[in-house]
Amino acid sequence: MSEQKTTFADQKRKTVEIAEFTEDGRYKRKVRSFVLRTGRLSEFQRNAMNDHWADYGLEHQNQPFNFVEIFGNDNPVILEIGFGMGKSLVEMAEQQPQYNYIGIEVHTPGVGACIAYAVEKNIKNLRVICHDATEILRDCIADNSLGGLQLFFPDPWQKSKHHKRRIVQPEFVQAVMKKMHQGGFIHMATDWENYSEYMLEVLKNTQGLRNTSTTQDFIPRPDFRPLTKFEQRGQRLGHGVWDLYFIKD
């Protein structure tokens, strides 16, 4: 039996998975906010990445993206970090064509599934990235260029000793603030109450951010945020969900 050909999607998966090592193969310890789960990349997902990356994929680069060139317009650009399988992101892009969306996800099955769904829906205002979000923010996003950031159900890292791995940290929010233009938003949601309280504290203590909550804490779940399969399951189990929505003044 001949060996299966290594395709672009397989190579992309390998590239993300070896991110913890130096070029000469030595282990490089780095605190990351995600854990790579090596779920199976299906043929359907692999084909979607291989066939449509030119239309939907963006690569890490050492200079800011030109959003007008990428999308063919100057609509506000919304960045979503950790879109999972991408269904809610695609639906949001479909429902709000006045925005351009960029989604970052390190798990290739999700990237492939998102691209496949975007192709099915003929979405034009969405691009995806398979890379570490902190490096994308640092290298590829120009200052004052984003209309908003979405972070829905990030890994809560429940144990206290793992809290340093949470993506929401003062330094992360400061980096996001630098990339957003005035009037841009930060929208976060979590079903982990301890994390929601920590998110609220970090956002409240960030100079230049204004809470849109009338009670100065959380907002009711907004209609424009699609209900995810994950969230639907949580609702059936009686889990709470906390949304935060802050504006850069």
Side-chain angles (χ1 to χ4, degrees), residues 115-132:
I115 291 175
Y117 194 40
V119 170
E120 179 187 328
K121 292 282 191 176
N122 195 29
I123 301 298
K124 304 298 184 185
N125 59 328
L126 171 65
R127 299 294 184 273
V128 297
I129 301 170
C130 190
H131 199 85
D132 186 340

Side-chain angles (χ1 to χ4, degrees), residues 158-176:
Q158 295 99 321
K159 295 180 180 178
S160 296
K161 67 179 181 179
H162 290 154
H163 283 184
K164 64 184 178 182
R165 291 182 176 272
R166 289 175 168 176
I167 189 170
V168 180
Q169 305 287 349
E171 298 80 10
F172 169 76
V173 175
Q174 288 289 352
V176 170

Side-chain angles (χ1 to χ4, degrees), residues 41 44-46 48-49 83-87 90 108-118:
L41 181 66
F44 178 70
Q45 295 159 353
R46 180 181 288 108
M49 286 187 71
F83 57 74
M85 300 306 281
K87 189 172 187 292
V90 171
T108 47
V111 174
C114 182
I115 291 175
Y117 194 40

Side-chain angles (χ1 to χ4, degrees), residues 91-111:
E91 290 174 354
M92 190 173 280
E94 181 182 37
Q95 293 163 13
Q96 304 204 69
Q98 72 274 24
Y99 294 117
N100 295 320
Y101 289 86
I102 293 179
I104 301 177
E105 178 57 64
V106 295
H107 306 291
T108 47
V111 174

